[in-house]
Amino acid sequence: MADEQVIPVAQSVEIVSVNQEETNSLPLDQNPAAVYLATLRPVGRRGMLRALTLIAEVVSGGKQTALTLPWHKLRYQHTAAIAPVLVERGYRPATVNQALSGLRSVLYHAWKLGLMESEDYQRARDVKNRRGETLPRGRALDKDELKALIKTCQAEKTPGGLRDAALIGLMYGTGLRRSEVVKLELKDYNPATGALTIRGAKGGKDRLVYVKGGAAKSLAVWLGQRGDTAGALFCPVHKSGKVRVVVMTDQSVMKILKKRGLQTDLESFSPHDLRRTFISDLLDAGADIATVQKLAGHASVTTTARYDRRGEAAKSKATDLLEIPY
């Protein structure tokens, strides 16, 4: 770039000066960011677009987006400064590393498209991930909270209440991501065995989970209300009580849980917190971590281990051994 300028990282403003005329005016099939995003599955694409947008804003001082930044003009002096700026702005190592992974992939596609020389590409992509351990995000719900949530739904005595009780029971009982829940269809569930087929989950993988106990009972009640029409397992319910067998959005799941949490007067929690609770409770109960990994659909046992609260319980118990003379 004619007027490339490296800004001291401490300023955290703009790493590279990019004029308006230098924006990426390439067609989408030649735009390395667009080509890379097109290779991802929809759920992963949304998250990576956010990560690339974050880099574009940092690199250009907020002047460019993921699809307008001329990625092929980035050089090592620019890419090396991205991680320090993100860290200064308070982003967690996992977020920084996701952004750097996206950066390397976009640069790879810029090289494959013939927009970068091999030497420039190799140097620009040579940025190391950030190491560091942070406390797990979110929280786990206790048994009383889960019981209160489901009771709140049951007390409503409406089709929407029956659906929400089943939704909460299934999300806790199987640990599904909300993006997986909204893809479920009636044909994916076998009431006789409790087997539930998750299709096209994260990483494009299918897996089996099992709906048991109270989760199976609440789901049976909801299905009695829903009917046997083929299609989405969980559906929108009109205020009149009419069930529409169409696909819900994952944002709808978020709204349902927020509504029920407020009605129950619980501390704020997210859909993913039900997944955290599922994994944590299984590990706490002594389930084999490799089995829990398969049920959760994690690519690595290391990811599953991050949900293990047994280490924290042991640390708390050890601290109780100390007597403070106060």
Side-chain angles (χ1 to χ4, degrees), residues 163-190:
R163 177 202 61 192
D164 295 352
L167 179 68
I168 292 167
L170 184 136
M171 290 185 73
Y172 166 66
T174 61
L176 296 191
R177 304 172 177 95
R178 58 178 166 143
S179 60
E180 295 168 343
V181 169
V182 297
K183 286 191 203 174
L184 292 173
E185 295 189 13
L186 184 63
K187 66 180 181 181
D188 297 328
Y189 179 53
N190 183 340

Side-chain angles (χ1 to χ4, degrees), residues 299-320:
S300 166
V301 171
T302 304
T303 305
T304 309
R306 293 178 191 151
Y307 294 83
D308 192 350
R309 294 178 299 175
R310 290 173 296 177
E312 295 307 309
K315 282 157 54 177
S316 177
K317 188 174 180 180
T319 305
D320 284 338

Side-chain angles (χ1 to χ4, degrees), residues 36-222:
Y36 166 54
L37 290 169
T39 68
L40 304 178
R41 298 180 67 83
V43 174
R45 190 180 303 145
R46 289 197 296 268
M48 188 52 71
L49 178 59
R50 286 193 297 268
L52 295 179
T53 298
L54 180 61
I55 289 181
E57 289 174 351
V58 167
V59 166
S60 67
K63 298 174 184 175
Q64 307 299 331
T65 69
L67 296 179
T68 63
L69 185 77
W71 295 90
H72 58 288
K73 295 188 176 182
L74 295 181
R75 298 296 180 261
Y76 175 72
Q77 65 267 33
H78 312 135
T79 59
I82 291 170
V85 171
L86 293 178
V87 170
E88 281 185 359
R89 294 186 179 183
Y91 289 99
R92 295 159 58 96
T95 302
V96 175
N97 292 339
Q98 181 192 30
L100 293 179
S101 173
L103 169 68
R104 287 188 287 266
S105 295
V106 172
L107 292 176
Y108 169 76
H109 285 280
W111 170 65
K112 289 287 283 184
L113 289 167
L115 301 173
M116 293 185 78
E117 296 294 333
S118 181
E119 187 173 344
D120 290 332
Y121 158 63
Q122 293 294 342
R123 288 179 176 175
R125 74 176 302 278
D126 190 22
V127 287
K128 307 299 182 187
N129 280 356
R130 286 279 159 163
R131 300 179 64 181
E133 234 177 85
T134 55
L135 292 174
R137 281 186 175 184
R139 71 182 189 90
L141 283 72
D142 61 35
K143 297 293 184 187
D144 289 338
E145 288 180 307
L146 288 165
K147 187 184 297 183
L149 267 177
I150 292 175
K151 277 190 174 181
T152 295
C153 299
Q154 290 175 318
E156 196 172 274
K157 295 183 171 33
T158 64
L162 298 179
R163 177 202 61 192
D164 295 352
L167 179 68
I168 292 167
L170 184 136
M171 290 185 73
Y172 166 66
T174 61
L176 296 191
R177 304 172 177 95
R178 58 178 166 143
S179 60
E180 295 168 343
V181 169
V182 297
K183 286 191 203 174
L184 292 173
E185 295 189 13
L186 184 63
K187 66 180 181 181
D188 297 328
Y189 179 53
N190 183 340
T193 63
L196 185 65
T197 304
I198 315 304
R199 306 179 192 277
K202 196 171 182 180
K205 298 177 181 178
D206 296 345
R207 73 180 189 278
L208 278 178
V209 297
Y210 294 87
V211 185
K212 300 285 187 176
K217 291 176 184 177
S218 63
L219 186 55
V221 173
W222 158 242

